[in-house]
Amino acid sequence: MTTTKKLLLAIGLISLLSLASVSSFAEHPHEKAILYWVAPMDPNFKTDEPGKSPMGMDLVPVYESSGSDNRVKISPEVVQSLGIRTALVERSRLWRGIKTVGYVDYNEAKVSHIHLRTAGWIERLATHSVGERFKKGDTILELYSPELVNAQQEFVQAIRSGNSRLIKFSEQRLSALGLIEEQIKRLKKTRKAQQNILVYADRDGVVSKLSVRHGMYVKPSNSVMSLADLSSVWLLVEVFEKQANWVKVGDPAEVRLPYLPGKVWKGRVDHIYPSLDKTTHSLKVRLVFDNPGERLKPNMFAKVNIFSGAKNNILIIPTEALIRTGASERVIIANDDGTFESRTVTSGLESGDYVELLSGVSESERVVVSGQFLIDSEASLRASMSRMANDDDTAQEVEK
């Protein structure tokens, strides 16, 4: 069906609604007692005194006889043509389910940042790019350091002197400069200083950051590289500001990744960051997952559901039944006598396909979930026509 045909059909349905209800305007004589004053462009803006609307227009009176002018009578044939569906206002519980997204990141508790303890030149580098993998004990670089050479020579001289105190001091200095126990034992056995010293990986991991290249001169303040163990990863999640007080440490969560359809990871909230992002005004939440087989890889996109408990004994309706105009919220009530009326409500918690209503409806009433926008337009039209009729009567009395 083309857009033009859809538009013509909508106009025709609204016309049917108008014809179905306009005949009742003349059945109720107007009484002159004013109930309240409303804005011409927004019937939900009400006040007890005359004045100006938020848009600067004169408020118009609503009389006793027009108190039910927002009701629309629709024949069963038109109801069927519109495909109007209704749902009960139920008293139930609503889970505080947070649907959001996040991304996989390195577990910072399992990231090793490698710095040298002495200045020197990198004679050989075992990796040339991020992502290469090392096992604990693998050689990551070969270093020439004049300070390390001198420290080795002093240790050899101390051994030859037989001075136990000097030997202990020299050995502690070598350890402080970064030599491991095996290298010191080898030096004690061979009594020959090595020009180039091998530096080893202290854990299994992949290179997540590489800051040096072959031949560079480095100092202790320079970061050489970072090794990340991917056996455990973080999932960093953004939670909307309005849901920030829902989430608690320990809340269960489910994670799905687009690249593995049907696979669900189950975890819990591990940490809630203390401040919101100043740009997005979202709260960062951290989940931790074991990662056997390294199926979760850093920077992967994830869909996340966090379950934060339930709110019990509340009135709920389907979310699609709620009409949000920006200035107000309304629902269309289906009455037992076959009429429909627009009613202002106040919404509360919204989760999934349902929303809590704090005021405006009662349990077991029925709300319209399909076709409600057409009925709401007709109800507003009726209210406006009724006020116009009242204004005309008032003007005629003034002329007399």
Side-chain angles (χ1 to χ4, degrees):
M1 183 180 291
T2 64
T3 303
T4 303
K5 289 182 178 179
K6 290 181 179 179
L7 181 60
L8 291 173
L9 178 60
I11 294 173
L13 291 174
I14 293 176
S15 300
L16 285 173
L17 285 172
S18 301
L19 291 173
S21 58
V22 71
S23 61
S24 63
F25 287 139
E27 296 177 3
H28 304 284
H30 297 296
E31 299 179 9
K32 300 308 175 184
I34 297 176
L35 296 177
Y36 49 83
W37 299 74
V38 297
M41 302 300 292
D42 184 7
N44 293 300
F45 181 84
K46 300 178 181 180
T47 179
D48 295 331
E49 301 292 337
K52 298 286 186 180
S53 73
M55 299 179 64
M57 302 175 69
D58 290 333
L59 299 179
V60 295
V62 175
Y63 297 88
E64 286 182 344
S65 62
S66 60
S68 60
D69 283 337
N70 63 342
R71 290 199 176 199
V72 176
K73 179 71 174 179
I74 306 176
S75 66
E77 293 79 7
V78 176
V79 170
Q80 185 174 3
S81 299
L82 291 175
I84 293 175
R85 294 182 292 108
T86 62
L88 276 175
V89 179
E90 299 178 287
R91 185 169 296 279
S92 182
R93 66 177 180 176
L94 199 59
W95 285 92
R96 294 182 175 94
I98 301 173
K99 291 185 177 181
T100 183
V101 296
Y103 63 93
V104 180
D105 200 3
Y106 296 107
N107 184 339
E108 289 292 342
K110 291 184 175 292
V111 175
S112 175
H113 302 283
I114 298 175
H115 291 255
L116 301 177
R117 297 186 181 182
T118 182
W121 286 264
I122 297 176
E123 295 294 327
R124 185 175 68 87
L125 191 61
T127 180
H128 299 285
S129 65
V130 170
E132 294 196 33
R133 190 178 300 274
F134 288 96
K135 294 287 186 179
K136 182 177 181 180
D138 287 349
T139 301
I140 58 177
L141 62 86
E142 193 172 318
L143 177 73
Y144 168 68
S145 169
E147 185 178 9
L148 265 177
V149 173
N150 291 336
Q152 290 178 84
Q153 292 172 345
E154 291 175 359
F155 180 60
V156 171
Q157 291 174 0
I159 293 174
R160 289 172 179 169
S161 69
N163 187 326
S164 60
R165 183 176 179 183
L166 186 59
I167 292 173
K168 183 178 180 181
F169 174 78
S170 299
E171 185 175 347
Q172 289 176 344
R173 186 183 179 208
L174 287 174
S175 180
L177 290 174
L179 264 66
I180 62 176
E181 186 177 352
E182 289 78 6
Q183 290 173 315
I184 296 174
K185 286 180 179 180
R186 189 182 308 117
L187 178 60
K188 186 182 293 187
K189 182 179 180 179
T190 62
R191 300 189 180 186
K192 183 178 180 180
Q194 299 293 319
Q195 293 296 307
N196 295 338
I197 297 298
L198 301 180
V199 178
Y200 303 102
D202 62 348
R203 67 170 65 201
D204 295 348
V206 297
V207 178
S208 60
K209 182 179 180 182
L210 182 62
S211 306
V212 298
R213 293 295 183 269
H214 176 79
M216 286 181 63
Y217 176 77
V218 293
K219 297 182 291 186
S221 59
N222 300 131
S223 173
V224 175
M225 67 177 67
S226 297
L227 290 179
D229 182 358
L230 292 177
S231 63
S232 173
V233 294
W234 285 355
L235 186 68
L236 300 179
V237 176
E238 302 288 338
V239 174
F240 289 122
E241 183 176 359
K242 68 177 183 179
Q243 299 173 326
N245 66 330
W246 294 8
V247 64
K248 302 289 186 296
V249 172
D251 284 346
E254 292 182 350
V255 176
R256 294 172 174 81
L257 279 76
Y259 97 107
L260 281 176
K263 172 66 176 176
V264 179
W265 281 265
K266 295 184 182 294
R268 293 186 177 274
V269 174
D270 176 69
H271 179 72
I272 302 172
Y273 288 79
S275 60
L276 273 64
D277 185 280
K278 64 180 180 181
T279 303
T280 63
H281 288 278
S282 60
L283 179 69
K284 185 179 289 187
V285 173
R286 185 176 76 211
L287 287 71
V288 180
F289 290 92
D290 291 331
N291 192 27
E294 298 183 4
R295 302 178 77 182
L296 298 174
K297 303 182 186 302
N299 299 315
M300 277 185 169
F301 176 81
K303 296 181 179 179
V304 183
N305 289 335
I306 301 175
F307 305 100
S308 301
K311 191 173 182 181
N312 297 306
N313 196 31
I314 59 174
L315 294 178
I316 63 172
I317 63 169
T319 305
E320 59 183 331
L322 185 63
I323 302 172
R324 291 186 171 100
T325 65
S328 64
E329 297 174 317
R330 296 196 295 273
V331 295
I332 301 299
I333 301 294
N335 297 307
D336 294 337
D337 59 1
T339 61
F340 299 85
E341 65 174 297
S342 175
R343 192 180 298 174
T344 301
V345 296
T346 303
S347 66
L349 172 66
E350 182 175 345
S351 181
D353 297 328
Y354 289 88
V355 60
E356 173 193 12
L357 291 187
L358 302 175
S359 64
V361 296
S362 301
E363 185 178 357
S364 298
E365 286 189 308
R366 301 195 72 88
V367 294
V368 177
V369 297
S370 176
Q372 68 270 36
F373 291 97
L374 290 175
I375 299 175
D376 184 57
S377 299
E378 171 63 16
S380 298
L381 176 63
R382 284 205 55 183
S384 298
M385 293 179 67
S386 178
R387 286 195 297 272
M388 290 172 61
N390 281 317
D391 290 343
D392 290 341
D393 290 346
T394 303
Q396 291 175 6
E397 289 185 2
V398 170
E399 290 176 359
K400 292 178 182 179

